[in-house]
Amino acid sequence: MNSFARAFYRLLFSPPAYDPDQEKNPRKILIIRQHNQLGDLLASSSLFRAIKAKYPEAKITLVVSPANKDAVAKNKFIDRVVVFDKGKHIWIFEFFRFLSVLREGYDWVIVPVTVSISFTSCLMAGIAKARLKVGPKYLDGKYNEADLFFNRKVVLDWRNHPDMHIAERILDIVKPLGVEPAGYAPEVSVDTVDVAFADQFLNHFEEHHTRPVIGLHTGAGKVPNRWYYKNFVAVIQTLREKYDACIYLTGSSADISTIEKIMEELPFTVLTCIDRSIPEVAAVIARSDLFITNDTGIMHVAGSTATPQISLFGPTNPFVWAPMGTNKVFMQRSDIIDNITVAEVCEVADRLLLLSNKRNKNA
């Protein structure tokens, strides 16, 4: 940002002078998380949960992208979800509608950061009307030129803690405000409609109450995060033969080609759960005995459930991104995801299915 732009933004959007009293007892909080990464958003659940635990009466408004609206529309920690659509906001009506949301008045505005700093998010905080504006001053040693929009500037630096989980990192933006962790699991809230969908979907299986139900997510937005589809075919065949399992595949339209290849090679039929809402997928996974997934957004959706899970990793650091919790297992051999073998995955699946069977018998 050049000096002229910085002076211009400072003239128009300088925050109020900082006062420690601004940190006390917020009643209205605006959180800006408007990028498209589903995993990042679901990892923010620990932030939403912690704020609600500290200030249960506070009303939280969350700004998200259109792609992620489904993931948080029913989130029990969020009181209002506002969509920022870059395409639509070139239109005057949409622009002023969104501007009215930013300007309606808040006690706190927070711009969480984990991987990179978004100038757009910082600018939104600058435009917003609020007493306290919280955002990054530095991220891993890199100065945030948009820090001028904040009156509570936080230094975020995880270079000495490269394996700190993303759900822990997201909390560092509010720890200076006295907000402490209240749990790290992702949150995908479901309602009776989602549960009804899951029941209807699983009823397509014969005797699914007495057979293990196993879901697999075979796609991923990033090619290096995709385990070879023939490996999934081999795992599916092994689990079907060994357990007579009810098997389904989740995905979106972007995954259709991979899913079709898998189904063509299987000598039996599997169900597909394609282009369903995030809460619907979560409800189906929650009623499963095992879920196997690549490192992608649905991995975090599955992480919000109690279902035993195998997450397959290539170049991404699993200590940072893998779901946390009981019976949540990640596998990684190297930066090349295909170095994970079918036999290894099946061995872990055997162990988790045994635990799942014991859990169901004790339920």
Side-chain angles (χ1 to χ4, degrees), residues 10 13-18 130-131 133 147-151:
R10 190 181 296 279
F13 305 123
S14 284
Y18 172 73
R131 295 188 301 119
K133 300 186 177 186
D147 75 328
L148 61 93
F149 298 121
F150 306 109
N151 56 5

Side-chain angles (χ1 to χ4, degrees), residues 248-266:
Y248 66 89
L249 304 176
T250 61
S252 67
S253 301
D255 306 314
I256 289 295
S257 60
T258 300
I259 290 173
E260 288 179 344
K261 287 179 183 178
I262 291 172
M263 295 179 71
E264 286 172 3
E265 298 209 11
L266 291 172

Side-chain angles (χ1 to χ4, degrees), residues 69-357:
K69 179 182 178 181
D70 270 355
V72 291
K74 302 174 183 178
N75 190 298
K76 64 185 181 183
F77 305 120
I78 304 299
D79 298 285
R80 179 176 58 162
V81 175
V82 176
V83 175
F84 174 70
D85 189 329
K86 294 179 181 179
K88 285 187 176 181
H89 283 94
I90 62 172
W91 300 102
I92 295 297
F93 175 79
E94 286 295 325
F95 172 78
F96 281 103
R97 181 194 65 83
F98 185 70
L99 184 63
S100 69
V101 171
L102 296 181
R103 296 295 298 169
E104 69 182 41
Y106 301 90
D107 296 303
W108 292 1
V109 172
I110 303 170
V111 177
V113 171
T114 51
V115 177
S116 62
I117 296 171
S118 164
F119 176 81
T120 301
S121 295
C122 295
L123 177 59
M124 288 181 189
I127 297 171
K129 182 180 179 181
R131 295 188 301 119
L132 187 71
K133 300 186 177 186
V134 187
K137 183 176 180 65
Y138 287 90
L139 176 61
D140 287 339
K142 184 178 180 180
Y143 174 60
N144 175 24
E145 294 186 337
D147 75 328
L148 61 93
F149 298 121
F150 306 109
N151 56 5
R152 191 67 163 94
K153 306 175 185 184
V154 182
V155 175
L156 302 170
D157 196 331
W158 303 298
R159 288 175 292 179
N160 291 330
H161 306 281
D163 291 337
M164 180 184 285
H165 197 273
I166 199 73
E168 297 179 272
R169 295 185 185 202
I170 195 74
L171 289 166
D172 282 357
I173 198 76
V174 292
K175 283 183 178 178
L177 307 180
V179 177
E180 296 297 329
Y184 298 106
E187 173 64 33
V188 178
S189 303
V190 302
D191 58 19
T192 55
V193 175
D194 305 313
V195 172
F197 167 78
D199 290 339
Q200 182 182 30
F201 177 79
L202 294 176
N203 282 337
H204 287 91
F205 290 118
E206 294 183 4
E207 302 177 346
H208 71 85
H209 293 293
T210 58
R211 300 163 59 198
V213 176
I214 301 174
L216 302 97
H217 189 85
T218 60
K222 300 174 182 177
V223 174
N225 292 5
R226 299 175 192 167
W227 204 39
Y228 187 39
Y229 82 93
K230 285 183 179 289
N231 291 337
F232 279 110
V233 170
V235 168
I236 291 169
Q237 289 180 309
T238 300
L239 296 177
R240 176 62 176 265
E241 292 170 5
K242 190 168 186 177
Y243 297 101
D244 189 27
C246 305
I247 294 174
Y248 66 89
L249 304 176
T250 61
S252 67
S253 301
D255 306 314
I256 289 295
S257 60
T258 300
I259 290 173
E260 288 179 344
K261 287 179 183 178
I262 291 172
M263 295 179 71
E264 286 172 3
E265 298 209 11
L266 291 172
F268 50 82
T269 301
V270 298
L271 294 186
T272 58
C273 186
I274 306 296
D275 284 334
R276 304 305 307 193
S277 72
I278 294 299
E280 287 174 333
V281 175
V284 172
I285 296 172
R287 278 154 182 74
S288 304
D289 295 281
L290 176 65
F291 196 76
I292 303 172
T293 175
N294 289 322
D295 165 27
T296 189
I298 292 297
M299 174 184 74
H300 300 279
V301 176
S304 73
T305 73
T307 298
Q309 176 177 350
I310 302 173
S311 302
L312 307 176
F313 278 80
T316 312
N317 185 342
F319 293 100
V320 175
W321 290 102
M324 304 168 74
T326 304
N327 297 331
K328 302 293 184 182
V329 178
F330 71 78
M331 301 185 70
Q332 184 187 51
R333 286 288 171 241
S334 70
D335 284 350
I336 301 173
I337 193 170
D338 286 331
N339 284 346
I340 302 170
T341 68
V342 169
E344 289 171 329
V345 173
C346 289
E347 181 182 351
V348 176
D350 288 340
R351 176 164 56 86
L352 292 177
L353 285 169
L354 178 62
L355 292 172
S356 179
N357 185 50

